[in-house]
């Protein structure tokens, strides 16, 4: 029991108890950089706990300080100095380890949060419009500037709008090449944008000037020049005193603006049930100017579409008086024109949505 009563031994016990526990922190400070961030954070908590137990108010060394007053007066100064020295050593050791841990943690956090500003960024891939949309917009811009409105109408139609009202009665041979896809009884996907002529006149009456771009459908087998779904633009101009000269002038102006002022037009007599007279419209090749090349198949001309003077039966079907009003109409293929301009040898490319193809039209 004498040892317990020896105050110096108490100090030595306190020092040893601390040294035993502190050992691993002493090592850690020597080569502490191998610690991971979470390990270092755990050590930081452990050393705070160590400080409470070995340097706090209830620690063994704190108990030794209370003994100072109780040792013999002649030994008191020396003992007091010993206790203070040991207490300071413990605190200092802890301070040093804590500081070291703090810098390890800071370094680890910096490493974790570091960004390498020299790494190349991920380049965003911005989208762009489809070539058919670009073409449609160019056509719309031209006609809007000529005073036309743009009609956007339905793709599912009745026989009346797709055929009867366009002067194609049941049993008419013109229905055959326009065979389409039927949905529920009495409805079918429109096979031509000419349907919008009727809707527009019914809605707006006469006079009217409109174009109607949109999708049409036919029961065709896909090949390089056919697709069961394609795009047309319909044009309709109805007013008092409209003649074929207005039609020719309008389409001539259109190709001037689309392909350049040197472009010529040619009208060939044709037949459409909804126009009388009817004409196919050609324009001089934008590539060779009419001399003949691969694009115009050596003819010098490229087909634009169908046209003609609106048949009185069509005006009547839309409640427009053919005695008072006349009009012209035309229908152009958007994808066909697109394929010509971009020299596509297969129209199906426009519908396959292969980005390697589409990205060329930014
Ligand atoms: N609807 C016709 C077709 O799909 C194109 C057409 C020809 C439209 C003459 C017209 C027109 O408005 O007058 O083949």
């Amino acid at each position: 029991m004498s040892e317990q009563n020896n105050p110096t031994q108490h100090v030595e016990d306190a020092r040893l108890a601390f040294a035993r526990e502190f050992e691993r922190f002493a090592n850690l400070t020597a080569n502490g950089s191998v610690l991971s961030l979470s390990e270092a954070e755990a050590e930081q908590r452990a050393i705070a706990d160590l400080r409470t137990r070995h340097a706090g108010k209830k620690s063994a060394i704190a108990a030794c300080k209370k003994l100072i007053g109780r040792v013999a007066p002649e030994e008191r100064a020396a003992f007091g100095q010993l206790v203070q020295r040991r207490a300071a050593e413990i605190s200092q050791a802890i301070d040093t380890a804590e500081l070291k841990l703090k810098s390890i943690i800071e370094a680890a956090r910096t490493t974790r949060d570091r960004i390498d500003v020299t790494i190349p960024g991920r380049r965003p891939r911005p989208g762009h419009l489809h070539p058919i949309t670009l073409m449609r917009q160019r056509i719309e811009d031209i006609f809007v500037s000529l005073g036309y409105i743009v009609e956007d109408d339905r793709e599912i139609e009745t026989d009346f709008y797709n055929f009867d009202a366009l002067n194609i009665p049941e049993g008419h041979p013109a229905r055959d090449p326009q065979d389409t896809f039927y949905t529920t009884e009495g409805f079918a996907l429109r096979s031509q944008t000419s349907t919008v002529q009727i809707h527009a006149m019914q809605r707006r009456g006469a006079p009217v000037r409109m174009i109607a771009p949109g999708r049409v459908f036919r029961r065709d087998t896909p090949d390089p020049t056919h697709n069961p779904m394609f795009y047309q633009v319909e044009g309709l101009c109805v007013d008092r005193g409209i003649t074929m000269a207005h039609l020719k002038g309008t389409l001539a102006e259109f190709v001037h603006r689309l392909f350049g002022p040197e472009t010529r037009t040619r009208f060939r007599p044709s037949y459409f049930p909804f126009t009388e007279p009817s004409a196919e419209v050609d324009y001089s090749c934008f590539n060779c100017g009419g001399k003949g090349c691969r694009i115009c198949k050596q003819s010098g001309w490229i087909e634009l579409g169908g046209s003609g003077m609106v048949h009185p039966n069509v005006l009547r079907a839309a409640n427009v008086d053919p005695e008072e009003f006349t009009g012209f109409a035309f229908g152009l293929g958007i994808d066909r024109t697109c394929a010509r301009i971009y020299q596509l040898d297969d129209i199906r490319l426009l519908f396959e949505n292969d980005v390697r193809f589409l990205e060329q039209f930014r």
Side-chain angles (χ1 to χ4, degrees):
M1 295 301 280
S2 66
E3 278 196 356
Q4 269 188 358
N5 294 327
N6 178 354
T8 310
Q9 190 60 45
H10 282 298
V11 178
E12 184 59 10
D13 287 349
R15 188 187 69 79
L16 280 172
F18 169 73
R20 259 197 308 279
E21 280 201 59
F22 185 73
E23 197 174 6
R24 79 166 206 266
F25 297 103
N27 288 342
L28 150 125
T29 57
N31 56 357
S33 55
V34 295
L35 284 186
S36 73
L37 176 60
S38 59
E39 284 166 346
E41 282 168 342
E43 290 300 73
Q44 196 177 40
R45 287 189 294 274
I47 207 154
D49 173 61
L50 191 75
R51 185 191 288 281
T52 314
R53 286 184 293 105
H54 291 278
K57 284 195 190 105
K58 290 178 182 161
S59 63
I61 199 75
C64 291
K65 285 179 189 166
K66 290 185 188 127
L67 295 178
I68 296 172
R70 289 206 249 141
V71 297
E74 63 276 16
E75 291 170 16
R76 197 173 289 158
F79 180 70
Q81 280 166 11
L82 175 71
V83 175
Q84 296 298 356
R85 196 163 57 242
R86 292 287 176 256
E89 281 166 6
I90 291 172
S91 290
Q92 260 168 30
I94 292 173
D95 286 351
T96 309
E98 246 180 0
L99 254 148
K100 179 75 185 170
L101 273 170
K102 221 175 134 188
S103 75
I104 290 172
I105 287 167
E106 264 167 25
R109 284 196 181 137
T110 308
T111 307
R112 184 193 60 186
D113 299 339
R114 183 179 55 196
I115 49 166
D116 183 350
V117 293
T118 65
I119 291 174
R122 278 193 214 112
R123 196 181 294 277
R125 288 187 16 169
H128 60 91
L129 295 174
H130 191 280
I132 289 180
T133 308
L134 293 171
M135 192 70 218
R136 195 197 73 209
Q137 289 181 343
R138 282 172 70 185
I139 296 171
E140 283 179 5
D141 285 352
I142 294 172
F143 280 105
V144 166
S145 76
L146 293 175
Y148 283 67
I149 50 161
V150 179
E151 287 279 0
D152 181 21
D153 222 296
R154 68 213 75 183
E155 292 175 353
I156 296 178
E157 277 295 1
T158 59
D159 261 10
F160 175 77
Y161 288 99
N162 203 49
F163 296 123
D164 299 277
L166 291 168
N167 204 29
I168 315 173
E170 199 158 3
H172 194 289
R175 287 199 178 201
D176 281 354
Q178 298 246 6
D179 198 14
T180 175
F181 302 96
Y182 295 86
T183 58
T184 43
E185 192 62 31
F187 292 96
L189 299 177
R190 67 178 177 194
S191 59
Q192 47 188 346
T193 47
S194 303
T195 53
V196 189
Q197 291 188 27
I198 311 300
H199 288 296
M201 284 192 280
Q202 283 182 338
R203 260 200 306 269
R204 300 175 180 275
V208 65
R209 262 186 292 185
M210 70 93 196
I211 58 161
R215 265 192 297 207
V216 299
F217 307 84
R218 299 227 181 134
R219 244 189 63 178
D220 277 336
T221 308
D223 68 26
T225 55
H226 291 87
N227 221 40
M229 183 199 82
F230 55 101
Y231 285 82
Q232 289 186 330
V233 193
E234 193 75 14
L236 175 72
C237 171
V238 175
D239 206 338
R240 294 175 187 87
I242 294 292
T243 70
M244 195 105 185
H246 294 113
L247 167 64
K248 294 182 81 172
T250 302
L251 291 182
E253 180 63 20
F254 170 66
V255 295
H256 287 173
R257 296 203 194 181
L258 193 59
F259 300 111
E262 66 289 346
T263 316
R264 285 163 290 125
T265 49
R266 175 173 87 169
F267 288 74
R268 286 180 285 117
S270 185
Y271 170 77
F272 299 103
F274 34 88
T275 43
E276 182 60 38
S278 305
E280 304 260 5
V281 191
D282 300 332
Y283 59 96
S284 55
C285 178
F286 55 82
N287 186 51
C288 63
K291 286 195 282 291
C293 68
R294 205 180 74 92
I295 292 177
C296 58
K297 300 194 184 86
Q298 308 307 328
S299 76
W301 295 97
I302 296 174
E303 200 180 300
L304 183 66
S307 69
M309 298 305 292
V310 182
H311 196 289
N313 285 350
V314 175
L315 295 174
R316 259 182 230 113
N319 299 318
V320 171
D321 181 2
E323 297 301 323
E324 188 181 356
F325 291 98
T326 52
F328 65 77
F330 55 86
L332 324 171
I334 301 184
D335 13 29
R336 254 203 302 166
T337 309
C338 210
R340 285 289 186 151
I341 289 181
Y342 295 119
Q343 300 177 41
L344 312 178
D345 42 22
D346 195 327
I347 208 158
R348 290 172 293 187
L349 286 166
L350 290 167
F351 299 100
E352 282 167 356
N353 286 336
D354 185 332
V355 287
R356 290 167 302 180
F357 169 75
L358 293 174
E359 276 181 344
Q360 301 173 67
F361 299 92
R362 289 185 177 282

